[in-house]
Amino acid sequence: MKMRFSPPTLIVLVAVFIAATHNQALFKLLSERLDALSWQGFGYAAFVGMLVTTLLSWLLLVVAQHFWLKPTLMLVLLVSAVLSYFTQSLGVLFDVDMIRNMAETVRDNNRAEAQELISWPLISHVLLWGVMPGIVVVLFPLASSGSWWRGGLRRLAYAVVLFAVTAALLLVNYKYATYFSRENRDVRNYVTPLFAFNSVYKYINSLRAQDKMQFVELGTDAKQHKTTPARTIGIMVVGETARADHFSLNGYGRDTNPLLAKEKITSFKQANACGTSTAFSVPCMFSFLGRENYSPEKAGAESNVLDVLQRAGVKVLWLDNNSSCKGVCERVENINLRGTPDEKHEFYSDGGYYDEAMLDYLADAVKSSQDVLIVLHTLGSHGPTYHKRFPAAFAQFKPYCQQDTPQACGDQEVINAYDNTLLYTDYVLERFITWLKQQTAQDDTFLLYASDHGESLGENGVYLHGLPYFIAPAAQTHIPMLLWLSDGYLQHSPTAWSTAQGKVDQPLSHDNLSHTLLGMFGVQTTLYQSQLDLLR
């Protein structure tokens, strides 16, 4: 006679499978922090495994009902397998900001970015740990649940037993468990797939809260009060995934900034990002909230510095070669190069453009007599396909990783590929500066550069970015921030250079950017905080 299991039994078996096989990163972390050979260490690890099983079982006992049982279990297996791949292989954690980043990639219809994450290691992992177990679930013969109330009582009984076993494991080792959990709060971020499910729930709640917010117009008192008749033309470059410690301007051993080193550049060496993902950081870079009070939802419900500059009479253009402006440019003129693919363009490559393609749009932006701010959202060093971010002429550091999965390459190959992207960034920024120099002698020009966040290159098994800020390494938060001022600008603002140089080693952040831009265009408003202006 063929063995049959009840639906609750199948649910628990699936939960045990996920807890044991999809949480390798979690148990690896525990093994590094616990003495697994001690009773306390072993007891805590057993408690965590049972807790994950119990919580996931409870969720599925409620959700996976009747004819939805097997489809729900299959979906959870597939999703959990995908999540476990990125956590185990790249060190990616799915907190609210990562969920936001993923949601905006879908919203922006950014297929290129999504496709770069699809690889054979991912496919094979999902086949082995998601699809094959899902097939087993489909083929699994189930016993009849009987009446609805009998089936409900059976599910309740399973839930009670699971709770009792988990509680017993906790009580046996209560003191140690409470102490370790309190001192290692980041452990919960590695629980697959429950942490991601909880993050999705929080993200949906944040969207609901945002829908209820009324948009607030800031800077209604903004006016320009310039002390010179010269027109100001500024380029604000939003870098992508650049880390400060790989800029030779900041002391990196390799010459990744050979061209910028020849310019009169101020490199602010102690600048930190607002967040560790584009969706979080980019709105923060142009917000007046400051990192301590910031959230993307709050920022989206009020004016940003681009709105205020435009209100004061500055022409603002946002030019995007990345996914999108994340809502920052909604009320100013904006162009997204990804929306106008031209395969014959000299800088078109692999479904997108190299960053120097943005030069084509600069001349039109300065045809009016207004002061102009051009924001360039570059593709920069966007991973994981670093080898696609620079033309062949910039492959100076060899051998470099030419795969879409950096964890499959040697550490030095990954670093070489990444450093080549910075070498190309150096070239692109130099071209922007050269263009600014070619404007008329009556124009005061400047270039301000700041990356949105940094990047992990395999240190401690972590790749890419997006870790929760409180556990993110400096590689993901310590960013390059650069300023170039034209001779004309320095002539009209003779203290600007010395003031900027005095802040080279001071702790700075994205909070400085909005107030610096207001100051550079001579915009007066009650929003302006001079202590955050890099030139005051």
Side-chain angles (χ1 to χ4, degrees):
M1 185 175 179
K2 190 180 289 186
M3 183 180 294
R4 296 175 182 272
F5 291 106
S6 66
T9 302
L10 180 59
I11 286 172
V12 173
L13 288 174
V14 169
V16 169
F17 176 81
I18 290 175
T21 63
H22 293 184
N23 282 274
Q24 292 180 26
L26 169 65
F27 291 108
K28 181 173 182 278
L29 181 69
L30 289 176
S31 70
E32 293 170 353
R33 299 186 184 181
L34 292 168
D35 180 3
L37 298 179
S38 69
W39 280 110
Q40 287 181 327
F42 177 79
Y44 184 81
F47 160 69
V48 170
M50 192 63 208
L51 181 62
V52 174
T53 301
T54 297
L55 293 176
L56 185 56
S57 295
W58 282 358
L59 176 64
L60 294 174
L61 285 168
V62 173
V63 175
Q65 301 277 356
H66 306 298
F67 57 88
W68 289 110
L69 174 64
K70 289 187 175 182
T72 301
L73 296 180
M74 290 174 62
L75 180 62
V76 170
L77 281 164
L78 286 172
V79 170
S80 186
V82 172
L83 296 173
S84 68
Y85 169 79
F86 285 103
T87 300
Q88 291 168 197
S89 300
L90 298 170
V92 175
L93 300 181
F94 293 88
D95 65 347
V96 176
D97 294 329
M98 181 56 69
I99 299 300
R100 179 182 291 108
N101 228 32
M102 293 166 60
E104 294 198 3
T105 298
V106 174
R107 187 196 67 183
D108 297 337
N109 195 27
N110 193 348
R111 296 179 183 176
E113 184 172 335
Q115 288 172 352
E116 287 178 354
L117 295 173
I118 299 173
S119 62
W120 281 114
L122 167 62
I123 293 171
S124 61
H125 181 93
V126 173
L127 284 173
L128 180 61
W129 301 110
V131 174
M132 291 180 63
I135 292 172
V136 172
V137 166
V138 170
L139 299 177
F140 217 89
L142 290 176
S144 173
S145 299
S147 60
W148 67 268
W149 62 268
R150 183 169 296 183
L153 284 175
R154 181 172 290 175
R155 286 173 182 253
L156 179 61
Y158 270 74
V160 170
V161 170
L162 288 167
F163 173 78
V165 175
T166 305
L169 287 172
L170 175 61
L171 290 172
V172 167
N173 207 12
Y174 180 74
K175 263 190 191 179
Y176 184 80
T178 53
Y179 166 78
F180 186 88
S181 298
R182 185 174 61 250
E183 298 299 316
N184 296 271
R185 295 181 184 275
D186 60 318
V187 167
R188 62 181 179 175
N189 299 310
Y190 292 82
V191 177
T192 304
L194 293 172
F195 180 68
F197 289 170
N198 185 55
S199 297
V200 170
Y201 173 75
K202 289 181 177 179
Y203 174 65
I204 292 172
N205 280 344
S206 71
L207 293 181
R208 289 174 178 168
Q210 185 177 18
D211 288 340
K212 295 177 183 177
M213 294 179 181
Q214 294 293 322
F215 188 83
V216 179
E217 290 277 358
L218 299 180
T220 55
D221 62 336
K223 288 187 186 339
Q224 270 192 293
H225 291 278
K226 295 177 64 176
T227 57
T228 170
R231 182 171 67 149
T232 301
I233 299 175
I235 291 179
M236 166 74 199
V237 180
V238 179
E240 171 65 49
T241 319
R243 48 190 278 181
D245 64 344
H246 277 242
F247 266 48
S248 55
L249 288 174
N250 294 331
Y252 185 47
R254 279 182 165 175
D255 194 6
T256 51
N257 306 125
L259 299 177
L260 291 178
K262 298 175 183 178
E263 299 288 351
K264 198 172 183 181
I265 296 284
T266 300
S267 178
F268 303 100
K269 298 179 181 179
Q270 301 301 325
N272 282 293
C274 184
T276 62
S277 67
T278 301
F280 190 92
S281 280
V282 169
C284 188
M285 295 173 79
F286 297 90
S287 170
F288 292 103
L289 289 166
R291 185 179 180 276
E292 294 302 317
N293 300 310
Y294 169 82
S295 75
E297 291 73 33
K298 286 182 185 177
E302 63 181 38
S303 307
N304 58 54
V305 69
L306 303 187
D307 300 316
V308 175
L309 288 169
Q310 182 170 257
R311 178 183 289 277
V314 178
K315 174 182 170 61
V316 179
L317 169 66
W318 181 286
L319 187 57
D320 218 307
N321 192 36
N322 208 309
S323 53
S324 76
C325 69
K326 308 305 178 185
V328 176
C329 66
E330 287 183 354
R331 295 167 296 277
V332 301
E333 182 182 355
N334 60 85
I335 300 170
N336 194 318
L337 272 65
R338 288 178 170 246
T340 56
D342 179 6
E343 296 184 11
K344 296 181 180 179
H345 195 286
E346 61 177 318
F347 300 128
Y348 185 88
S349 174
D350 197 45
Y353 296 92
Y354 294 124
D355 283 331
E356 57 189 308
M358 292 188 283
L359 283 161
D360 294 348
Y361 296 82
L362 301 185
D364 287 342
V366 297
K367 284 183 176 178
S368 69
S369 59
Q370 292 174 270
D371 284 0
V372 180
L373 174 65
I374 306 168
V375 183
L376 304 177
H377 188 194
T378 60
L379 196 54
S381 305
H382 197 293
T385 54
Y386 306 120
H387 61 285
K388 296 180 180 179
R389 301 294 170 247
F390 54 88
F394 293 86
Q396 177 175 316
F397 304 113
K398 298 177 180 178
Y400 64 94
C401 182
Q402 299 185 53
Q403 299 191 45
D404 295 348
T405 51
Q407 71 275 19
C409 295
D411 292 345
Q412 192 58 51
E413 289 179 318
V414 174
I415 292 172
N416 289 346
Y418 181 80
D419 286 351
N420 286 335
T421 69
L422 297 183
L423 193 66
Y424 180 58
T425 293
D426 174 77
Y427 171 77
V428 171
L429 292 179
E430 173 63 20
R431 290 207 64 184
F432 294 154
I433 290 173
T434 300
W435 180 85
L436 287 169
K437 289 179 179 178
Q438 292 168 351
Q439 304 314 299
T440 67
Q442 289 72 41
D443 294 327
D444 291 347
T445 60
F446 71 85
L447 181 139
L448 178 60
Y449 170 91
S451 186
D452 57 353
H453 53 76
E455 185 84 330
S456 289
L457 301 174
E459 300 92 345
N460 299 313
V462 179
Y463 294 85
L464 306 180
H465 53 268
L467 282 179
Y469 204 90
F470 77 102
I471 62 171
Q476 295 190 25
T477 59
H478 185 200
I479 55 164
M481 186 183 289
L482 314 173
L483 178 64
W484 172 86
L485 301 170
S486 68
D487 292 338
Y489 195 104
L490 291 171
Q491 183 179 355
H492 292 128
S493 302
T495 63
W497 173 255
S498 60
T499 302
Q501 286 295 300
K503 298 184 179 182
V504 162
D505 293 312
Q506 290 184 15
L508 303 171
S509 71
H510 283 161
D511 291 357
N512 295 94
L513 297 174
S514 291
H515 303 278
T516 300
L517 289 173
L518 289 178
M520 298 189 85
F521 284 98
V523 174
Q524 293 184 0
T525 168
T526 53
L527 293 169
Y528 174 69
Q529 298 180 46
S530 60
Q531 72 272 19
L532 293 176
D533 188 339
L534 295 173
L535 299 181
R536 295 293 182 273

